[in-house]
């Protein structure tokens, strides 16, 4: 979390927010990258997640738009941790900070299960890939007829990506890639509100192999294929295998993923040939995030930035499909 946000976040803000949603919370957050996340409980012991978002990150209206879509998706069969209302019946409650800014509180269902252990073949297998595909396919099927809102940004309005345009070395590569993707047609059967970040750390899998997706904070208008590219990207990102081994695995992963995905939704074949563009797009945004979030970079972060930059300059992708 940015230092300016940390300096105005207080125990009182957390306590008041929890009271508005009728829960008690652990004081130690379970997440604090772009939002503060706290595990909490209702009076009957039911687990919940309380999220506090600073006004520098999202507006109240943007968050409400996210939560309304999530509520709609959950009510229509999506495997996701749904958004819940406060004791006052609101999806978002406002907490004012000492510097005049605000924190926006929201509450979610607790996702059963745990993060995927890639070293465990009982979990990290074809069944997971199939279910992962089915989960995203269902979300895409639901977004097709969801009413359009101007309260969630389009992919090319994203700050991280646009700030890369000003980069002295990488700005030209950013501009070329944005223009390439902007040329793709925007039709409701392939472009709409998507999760945009449903990687391995944004869902839990339970002992039955069922997935529950969460963290819809990056919900945006984007091409459906971007969600699929993200799956392939982050599977490769966390692997220590060689480029050839990662590429081979990604091809197999995509094959199984599509079988699950296409039980819920079918994309025209041409979109799969465009995956490399979206892999490159994630390189750009991740490069910016790493440079922005870490004022004092560890050797590992420095190495990651160099790896990203090398791919961007040479117009390469993290895997070859």
């Amino acid at each position: 979390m940015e230092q300016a946000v940390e300096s105005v976040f207080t125990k009182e803000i957390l306590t008041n927010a929890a009271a508005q949603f009728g829960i008690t919370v652990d004081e130690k957050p379970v997440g604090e990258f772009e939002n503060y996340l706290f595990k909490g409980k209702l009076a009957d012991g039911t687990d919940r997640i309380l999220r506090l978002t600073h006004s520098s990150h999202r507006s109240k209206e943007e968050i409400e738009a996210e939560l309304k879509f999530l509520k709609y998706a959950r009510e229509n069969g999506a495997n996701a941790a749904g958004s819940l209302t406060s004791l006052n019946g609101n999806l978002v409650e406002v907490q004012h900070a000492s510097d005049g800014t605000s924190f926006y509180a929201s509450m979610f269902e607790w996702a059963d299960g745990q993060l995927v252990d890639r070293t465990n073949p009982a979990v990290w297998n074809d069944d997971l890939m199939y279910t992962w595909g089915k989960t995203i396919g269902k979300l895409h099927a639901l977004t097709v007829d969801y009413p359009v809102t101007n309260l969630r940004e389009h992919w090319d309005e994203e700050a991280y990506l646009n700030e890369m345009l000003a980069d002295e070395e990488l700005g030209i590569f950013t501009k070329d890639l944005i223009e390439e993707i902007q040329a793709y047609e925007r039709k409701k059967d392939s472009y709409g509100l998507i999760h945009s970040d449903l990687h391995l750390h944004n869902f839990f899998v339970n002992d039955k192999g069922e997935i529950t997706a969460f963290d819809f904070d990056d919900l945006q208008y984007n091409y459906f294929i971007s969600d699929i590219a993200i799956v392939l990207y982050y599977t490769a990102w966390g692997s220590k295998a060689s480029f050839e081994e990662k590429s081979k695995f990604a091809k197999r992963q995509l094959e199984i993923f599509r079988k699950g995905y296409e039980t819920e939704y079918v994309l025209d074949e041409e979109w799969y040939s465009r995956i490399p563009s979206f892999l490159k797009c994630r390189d750009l945004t991740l490069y910016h995030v790493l440079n922005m979030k870490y004022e004092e970079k560890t050797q590992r972060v420095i190495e990651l930035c160099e790896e990203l930059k090398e791919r961007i300059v040479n117009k390469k992708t993290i895997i070859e499909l």
Side-chain angles (χ1 to χ4, degrees), residues 63-122:
I63 296 170
E64 287 173 335
E66 169 209 345
L67 301 181
K68 287 176 182 177
F69 174 81
L70 179 54
K71 188 172 186 294
Y72 155 80
R74 183 74 176 89
E75 290 173 350
N76 285 279
N79 294 332
S83 53
L84 302 165
T85 56
S86 69
L87 297 179
N88 293 322
N90 300 319
L91 286 170
V92 178
E93 293 287 356
V94 181
Q95 296 294 323
H96 299 292
S98 60
D99 63 347
T101 61
S102 300
F103 286 90
Y104 303 120
S106 48
M107 187 171 73
F108 303 87
E109 295 173 318
W110 176 259
D112 289 329
Q114 56 191 356
L115 292 175
V116 173
D117 177 3
R118 290 199 286 188
T119 66
N120 183 358

Side-chain angles (χ1 to χ4, degrees), residues 5-287:
V5 177
E6 286 185 354
S7 66
V8 295
F9 184 70
T10 64
K11 182 179 178 180
E12 183 181 10
I13 287 175
L14 174 60
T15 301
N16 289 343
Q20 287 180 308
F21 284 90
I23 61 173
T24 56
V25 294
D26 299 334
E27 290 187 17
K28 185 178 181 180
V30 294
E32 51 183 338
F33 185 61
E34 291 182 322
N35 300 285
Y36 285 111
L37 300 171
F38 296 89
K39 185 176 182 180
K41 289 183 181 294
L42 296 175
D44 65 4
T46 303
D47 290 331
R48 292 287 186 250
I49 281 287
L50 183 70
R51 185 181 75 184
L52 286 134
T53 305
H54 191 251
S55 52
S56 62
H57 180 58
R58 302 278 184 214
S59 70
K60 179 172 180 284
E61 292 74 22
E62 287 173 326
I63 296 170
E64 287 173 335
E66 169 209 345
L67 301 181
K68 287 176 182 177
F69 174 81
L70 179 54
K71 188 172 186 294
Y72 155 80
R74 183 74 176 89
E75 290 173 350
N76 285 279
N79 294 332
S83 53
L84 302 165
T85 56
S86 69
L87 297 179
N88 293 322
N90 300 319
L91 286 170
V92 178
E93 293 287 356
V94 181
Q95 296 294 323
H96 299 292
S98 60
D99 63 347
T101 61
S102 300
F103 286 90
Y104 303 120
S106 48
M107 187 171 73
F108 303 87
E109 295 173 318
W110 176 259
D112 289 329
Q114 56 191 356
L115 292 175
V116 173
D117 177 3
R118 290 199 286 188
T119 66
N120 183 358
V123 178
W124 186 241
N125 53 33
D126 287 354
D127 289 340
L128 177 70
M129 302 306 171
Y130 181 92
T131 305
W132 201 348
K134 190 176 181 67
T135 300
I136 292 179
K138 180 67 172 180
L139 287 169
H140 290 176
L142 290 173
T143 201
V144 169
D145 294 317
Y146 189 73
V148 175
T149 174
N150 61 359
L151 295 174
R152 298 302 297 189
E153 66 185 7
H154 290 260
W155 69 274
D156 51 359
E157 297 171 330
E158 185 180 87
Y160 294 159
L161 190 59
N162 279 283
E163 286 167 10
M164 280 298 296
L165 288 168
D167 188 281
E168 291 184 3
E169 295 181 85
L170 303 182
I172 184 62
F173 299 98
T174 306
K175 178 177 180 293
D176 289 346
L177 185 61
I178 289 176
E179 290 177 352
E180 175 189 335
I181 297 175
Q182 284 176 330
Y184 300 156
E185 62 272 29
R186 295 186 181 185
K187 296 181 179 179
K188 65 182 294 185
D189 64 354
S190 57
Y191 187 91
L193 276 177
I194 67 169
H195 185 288
S196 81
D197 205 28
L198 195 48
H199 54 66
L200 285 166
H201 287 89
N202 279 338
F203 67 82
F204 278 172
V205 59
N206 65 18
D207 55 10
K208 297 178 182 179
E210 298 166 335
I211 282 176
T212 302
F214 48 78
D215 193 1
F216 283 70
D217 176 56
D218 288 330
L219 185 78
Q220 63 177 211
Y221 284 98
N222 203 335
Y223 299 94
F224 293 177
I225 198 65
S226 178
D227 261 349
I228 299 174
I230 291 299
V231 171
L232 302 175
Y233 184 98
Y234 280 106
T235 300
W237 174 260
S239 171
K240 295 181 180 179
S242 68
F243 176 79
E244 291 75 19
E245 290 170 331
K246 287 187 289 189
S247 297
K248 181 179 179 180
F249 180 82
K251 291 174 185 177
R252 171 66 177 166
Q253 180 185 18
L254 180 57
E255 177 186 346
I256 303 303
F257 180 96
R258 282 188 65 174
K259 289 179 180 178
Y261 181 85
E262 291 177 358
T263 64
E264 300 288 348
Y265 197 73
V266 178
L267 269 178
D268 287 344
E269 189 67 31
E270 64 179 332
W271 284 105
Y272 290 91
S273 67
R274 295 168 174 170
I275 287 177
S277 298
F278 294 91
L279 296 175
K280 293 175 185 176
C281 195
R282 182 49 55 129
D283 268 349
L284 284 164
T285 55
L286 192 54
Y287 179 86

